[in-house]
């Protein structure tokens, strides 16, 4: 089944404790992206990757890191999480990073930073 | 600064009637516009898209209209069904590609 998987689905952590949210897709997509969803702000793009080893900042990259060492995986790293990073995170993938192709979203990761 | 805006947080419509969801944008350099639907506890799923060179795209019960002079797009759902109850996000792709801007979402409730 074609899908985007994220782990963990739920995470509660404390300020400053490094964490990684994994994202994997099995559709051989070139493009992958991370978003966060917050009430009243909708979905905002954090980082995206056009291909292996090629990443770039989205609208809200501060406090996040990403890497794309393999085509299928695109982990999101929070080196020192803070409470303002409490949010619902979505990973997405697409054949290419253009609106001609739909993005396939993962089920989301709900992160709480205390 | 929100480049894509959905000014109606919620909308209720009777089953069988038309649902119209609206979206405004500020950047005239967007290339593609897309609509996604989101159910609770799931990721968004693609619904329909439109290129900036078109003014209408239709897919079954869903039609998207683009008015470039007004920087406005709308999604029409006809007829509305209870299963359409979800949050709808409009999104825009930057002309350079790869970057996407989403609106704040409109929660649609279709009343049986």
């Amino acid at each position: 089944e074609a899908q985007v998987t994220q782990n963990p689905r739920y995470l509660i952590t404390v300020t400053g404790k490094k964490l990684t949210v994994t994202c994997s897709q099995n559709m051989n997509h070139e493009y992958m992206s991370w978003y966060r969803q917050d009430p009243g702000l909708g979905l905002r793009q954090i980082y995206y990757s056009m291909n292996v080893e090629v990443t770039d900042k989205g609208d809200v990259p501060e406090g996040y890191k990403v890497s794309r060492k393999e085509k299928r995986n695109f982990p999101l790293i929070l080196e020192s999480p803070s409470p303002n990073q409490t949010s619902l995170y979505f990973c997405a993938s697409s054949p290419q990073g253009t609106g001609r192709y739909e993005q396939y979203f993962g089920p989301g990761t709900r992160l709480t930073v205390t | 600064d929100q480049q894509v805006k959905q000014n109606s947080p919620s909308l209720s419509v009777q089953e069988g009637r038309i649902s119209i969801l609206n979206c405004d944008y500020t950047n005239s350099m967007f290339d593609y516009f897309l609509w996604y639907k989101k159910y609770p506890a799931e990721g968004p799923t693609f619904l329909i898209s439109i290129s900036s060179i078109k003014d209408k795209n239709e897919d079954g019960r869903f039609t998207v209209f683009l008015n470039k002079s007004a920087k406005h797009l709308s999604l029409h759902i006809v007829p509305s069904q209870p299963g359409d109850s979800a949050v709808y996000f409009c999104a825009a792709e930057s002309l350079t590609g790869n970057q996407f801007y989403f609106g704040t979402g409109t929660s649609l409730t279709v009343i049986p």
Side-chain angles (χ1 to χ4, degrees), chain A residues 37 52 56 59 76 89 97:
Chain A
Q37 182 187 358
V52 175
D56 208 346
D59 221 17
L76 180 69
Y89 291 86

Side-chain angles (χ1 to χ4, degrees), chain A residues 2-112:
Chain A
Q3 60 182 351
V4 177
T5 56
Q6 295 179 227
N7 282 294
R9 293 290 310 277
Y10 302 91
L11 179 60
I12 300 174
T13 189
V14 296
T15 299
K17 188 176 180 184
K18 181 179 178 179
L19 67 92
T20 299
V21 184
T22 65
C23 172
S24 184
Q25 51 94 4
N26 62 1
M27 294 169 278
N28 202 35
H29 285 167
E30 301 284 341
Y31 180 87
M32 297 185 75
S33 184
W34 277 102
Y35 298 88
R36 60 178 287 176
Q37 182 187 358
D38 301 288
L41 296 174
L43 286 155
R44 292 179 294 167
Q45 193 173 31
I46 304 171
Y47 267 96
Y48 59 89
S49 170
M50 296 80 80
N51 210 331
V52 175
E53 302 290 2
V54 183
T55 64
D56 208 346
K57 297 176 181 177
D59 221 17
V60 288
E62 297 79 19
Y64 304 95
K65 280 176 58 176
V66 292
S67 69
R68 186 97 180 269
K69 293 183 168 53
E70 306 165 279
K71 198 172 193 177
R72 63 182 293 128
N73 296 323
F74 190 44
L76 180 69
I77 303 156
L78 284 73
E79 296 259 354
S80 183
S82 62
N84 64 12
Q85 293 178 298
T86 292
S87 188
L88 179 57
Y89 291 86
F90 291 101
C91 180
S93 75
S94 179
Q96 292 183 26
T98 163
R100 288 168 183 76
Y101 298 95
E102 64 176 279
Q103 291 187 60
Y104 295 81
F105 284 81
T109 294
R110 185 165 291 282
L111 171 66
T112 303

Side-chain angles (χ1 to χ4, degrees), chain A residues 9 31 35 37 40-43 45 48 50 57-59 88 90 97-103 105-108, chain B residues 1-3 31-34 36 38 41-46 49 87 89 93 97-105:
Chain A
R9 293 290 310 277
Y31 180 87
Y35 298 88
Q37 182 187 358
L41 296 174
L43 286 155
Q45 193 173 31
Y48 59 89
M50 296 80 80
K57 297 176 181 177
D59 221 17
L88 179 57
F90 291 101
T98 163
R100 288 168 183 76
Y101 298 95
E102 64 176 279
Q103 291 187 60
F105 284 81
Chain B
D1 197 23
Q2 201 84 21
Q3 297 197 45
D31 191 26
Y32 258 84
F33 300 89
L34 308 96
Y36 285 84
K38 185 184 179 304
E42 295 183 12
T45 55
F46 171 76
S49 64
V87 176
F89 291 98
E93 178 212 358
N98 297 308
Q99 276 200 273
F100 292 86
Y101 299 90
F102 282 73
T104 50

Side-chain angles (χ1 to χ4, degrees), chain B residues 21-101:
Chain B
L21 295 91
N22 294 305
C23 181
D24 297 296
Y25 59 95
T26 56
N27 188 341
S28 59
M29 300 298 281
F30 286 136
D31 191 26
Y32 258 84
F33 300 89
L34 308 96
W35 285 93
Y36 285 84
K37 179 167 80 172
K38 185 184 179 304
Y39 293 118
E42 295 183 12
T45 55
F46 171 76
L47 200 54
I48 192 169
S49 64
I50 186 167
S51 163
S52 60
I53 63 172
K54 307 257 177 152
D55 53 23
K56 177 183 172 182
N57 188 27
E58 198 169 347
D59 184 2
R61 296 186 297 116
F62 304 93
T63 304
V64 56
F65 295 93
L66 176 62
N67 182 334
K68 286 188 289 293
S69 60
K71 296 194 181 69
H72 177 84
L73 67 155
S74 60
L75 174 69
H76 293 211
I77 307 174
V78 183
S80 301
Q81 299 172 354
D84 295 330
S85 297
V87 176
Y88 290 78
F89 291 98
C90 69
E93 178 212 358
S94 67
L95 200 61
T96 51
N98 297 308
Q99 276 200 273
F100 292 86
Y101 299 90

